Amino acid sequence: MSTLLSKSEASYIASALLASEEPVRSDGRGLLDFRSIALEASVAALANGSGRASIGGTSNNNIGVGDPASEAIVAARLEVEGIESGSGAGLTCTVTCTPSAYPHHTMPQLDDLSSDLSALLQQALESSSNIWSPQLVIIPKKKRWHLNLEAVVISDSGNIFDTLVIAARVALWDLRVPRTRNLEYQRQTEHPATDDAMEVDESKRDAFGSAVKGSRVAKKPTGDFELEDYWEDGLPLKGRNSLPVCVTLNLLPPVHFLDASLQEERAVPTRMHMTFSFPAADPANSILHNTRSTGPSEIPYASIAPLIEAGEGYARRLNEALNTKLKGDDKRKAAIA
């Protein structure tokens, strides 16, 4: 699909969005309506968790089939890393944009776009409390699970960043953290036996049952671990109901709209990305993790607070819809199993 618009085409799209009585979009949606969203978990066999998200297309049950859709796959992989005080994010996000998704981009342009989306996804997720969950600590102050999110953009028909965050949320929902057991090593040291200083280790006896004199067993601090689960087993990530969600407001003063198509993005290039989470312990509360504006136009300072307030409402509805869908899928899988 070509991403180029003439000035007259861009003007026509913007005028239709600004229609005072009834704004018109090419697919008949209202300004605040999303296209259909399709989710699928466990799509990568060699990952600890994975998910696919698609926005648009003709059917929720046939991802990527029919009309163009924005589609992304995210795989979550755990690897062991050492804990150094005050260092490391515990998360690494990598986004790869495929040539099939952007056929008009050169390879350097694809690399730049991939780098930008990787940075956006990292910023959106790294401040979440789920990434710093004690569940991901293996040995306190020594080792933990480092979370690698590897995303691939399959196709882009607009609003690809929201699609990526949704796919990452599905992958983290699907994530299983292996249970571990800490190991302690014992080291036996020999000391000369004396009449006034002799220690007997009752747990160490020779074949005849006599005590081994003059020995001392020293326990070393926990330094290693073993897995109790296979990689495909484990426990779900705690607090996954409150994983971050992102909404992108496309700004065309005095209005804004959600889930822009590719042509709408070209006609209205100014947008504001907002990432929220909603703690399960206090659903009425919300946490704004970050905001980022892109595009050629500046956003007036007086407009920022109302836009954030509106974005919170959109993100809350999206969060509830995603949780409902993912919980329903889990129940259906459990019933089949």
Side-chain angles (χ1 to χ4, degrees), residues 130-205:
N130 304 89
I131 305 303
W132 297 101
S133 170
Q135 184 184 8
L136 297 178
V137 176
I138 302 172
I139 303 174
K141 299 182 180 180
K142 288 190 175 182
K143 293 181 180 181
R144 68 181 175 194
W145 293 114
H146 183 90
L147 186 57
N148 292 293
L149 290 182
E150 301 168 2
V152 178
V153 177
I154 304 300
S155 60
D156 182 0
S157 66
N159 199 23
I160 190 59
F161 183 60
D162 286 9
T163 307
L164 279 169
V165 176
I166 292 174
R169 183 188 178 102
V170 177
L172 292 172
W173 183 281
D174 186 55
L175 178 68
R176 294 297 181 268
V177 181
R179 292 173 295 178
T180 60
R181 181 188 300 111
N182 293 342
L183 299 178
E184 293 183 352
Y185 297 100
Q186 292 186 345
R187 174 171 52 88
Q188 181 173 307
T189 58
E190 295 294 335
H191 298 278
T194 60
D195 293 337
D196 57 348
M198 181 177 67
E199 296 185 10
V200 177
D201 181 3
E202 296 295 339
S203 65
K204 302 291 183 179
R205 294 184 177 272

Side-chain angles (χ1 to χ4, degrees), residues 60-76:
N60 274 352
N61 298 322
N62 297 293
I63 297 178
V65 176
D67 292 340
S70 292
E71 184 178 350
I73 296 176
V74 175

Side-chain angles (χ1 to χ4, degrees), residues 40-45 49-52 170-171 174 333:
E40 184 180 357
S42 302
V43 296
S50 59
R52 181 199 304 255
V170 177
D174 186 55
K333 290 179 181 178

Side-chain angles (χ1 to χ4, degrees), residues 257-335:
F257 59 98
L258 303 176
D259 188 23
S261 67
L262 202 58
Q263 289 185 332
E264 289 172 341
E265 286 185 342
R266 299 300 177 264
V268 184
T270 302
R271 58 189 60 93
M272 187 173 181
H273 307 285
M274 290 175 279
T275 306
F276 292 89
S277 64
F278 301 90
D282 186 10
N285 192 18
S286 65
I287 299 174
L288 174 62
H289 293 282
N290 58 66
T291 63
R292 181 167 177 173
S293 61
T294 59
S297 302
E298 293 186 0
I299 302 175
Y301 179 78
S303 302
I304 294 178
L307 289 173
I308 292 177
E309 183 178 358
E312 178 187 358
Y314 307 144
R316 184 180 298 277
R317 290 195 290 271
L318 179 60
N319 178 73
E320 293 172 353
L322 293 176
N323 282 342
T324 300
K325 168 65 175 173
L326 292 169
K327 289 178 182 178
D329 289 348
D330 283 352
K331 289 181 180 178
R332 282 190 289 272
K333 290 179 181 178

Side-chain angles (χ1 to χ4, degrees), residues 180-251:
T180 60
R181 181 188 300 111
N182 293 342
L183 299 178
E184 293 183 352
Y185 297 100
Q186 292 186 345
R187 174 171 52 88
Q188 181 173 307
T189 58
E190 295 294 335
H191 298 278
T194 60
D195 293 337
D196 57 348
M198 181 177 67
E199 296 185 10
V200 177
D201 181 3
E202 296 295 339
S203 65
K204 302 291 183 179
R205 294 184 177 272
D206 58 14
F208 299 98
S210 60
V212 178
K213 298 181 179 180
S215 66
R216 176 179 298 159
V217 176
K219 284 189 176 181
K220 296 179 66 177
T222 300
D224 207 349
F225 68 97
E226 63 181 4
L227 295 176
E228 295 185 16
D229 297 307
Y230 292 106
W231 283 102
E232 63 269 20
D233 298 325
L235 301 174
L237 187 65
K238 293 181 180 178
R240 59 181 183 169
N241 289 347
S242 58
L243 288 165
V245 292
C246 176
V247 290
T248 299
L249 274 59
N250 303 273
L251 306 179

